[in-house]
Amino acid sequence: MGLIIAYILFLLNLMSIIPTMYPLYIWKLVTTGSWRRFGDRLLLKVGEAWIENNYRISRMLYGVQFEVIGEGYKNLKQDGRYMIICNHQSWSDIYIIQSVLNRKIPLIRFFIKDSLKYVPILGHAWLALDFPFVKRSSREQLKKNPELATKDLENVKKVCEKFAGMPFSILNFLEGHRRTPERVQKLLKKNPYQNLLRPHSGGISVVSTALRNSLDAFIDLTIVYPTENPSFLDLMRGKIRKLKVFVEVIPAPLVPVEENEQFAPMSKKMKRWVDERWALKDALITKEKQPK
């Protein structure tokens, strides 16, 4: 019964944004300059209210609490420019990250497959809120035509141009996939971590290089769940009520961002930095899992 109630409340919250989102989206499409920026600000308020209400639903039904740990968390700014990295175990990760950082930093956006813009309501909301949509070639397409990889990178760079000179927060899951038992078993021999999957540095290197003159800091999040193999369904059922989120804010000059766009996809210094961050995350999660 609790799951059904949660589902209905989350759905009602999603439906509640329709009366304001669509008129504002149309306003944004037909206006320019300061009038369009005014519409953008109102749309951001709608997005932030939707995120806040989702968290309120979880607190009301199950008393869900997130313990946020990290001094840098207090110094985040709503007008900052941030790149966010995080371990990825469940679809609930995005919900948790949004809840923890909502109204602390600019509305969090993440790269979305171009085809998802046609998803009812959510797809339109992502479009209205300027989420970056990218067309990515499949593995089969890349095998037939390797030059498509260059085109994919150009698409990412083009998308990044819209964020230059404005407050932004971009989330990047470097592991690329959720950490499921099946995927862990499949990648066992190639994975040096106990609690994480091997991260990929190419994407974040390209994006960081494209935005290198705008970035204030990198926000490194580590979500530590109280159970193994959590799912979003577990969260909706109330099986996950408390968890820890470790936050480390790293000033942009301390991150080895590649200056040359040509070298960014294969940047060795960014790969070393990412590998170091993942080793620290893995050790932190292992320590948290030990009996107190």
Side-chain angles (χ1 to χ4, degrees), residues 175 177-179 183-184 187 191 193 196-199 278:
E175 291 161 294
H177 302 280
R178 290 172 292 122
R179 187 178 181 273
R183 194 164 281 122
V184 168
L187 302 175
N191 186 23
Y193 308 106
L196 307 166
L197 296 179
R198 185 187 292 272
W278 247 245

Side-chain angles (χ1 to χ4, degrees), residues 19-35:
T20 50
M21 182 192 72
Y22 280 105
L24 286 172
Y25 184 34
I26 294 171
W27 171 279
K28 177 177 175 177
L29 292 175
V30 300
T31 57
T32 58
S34 60
W35 287 107

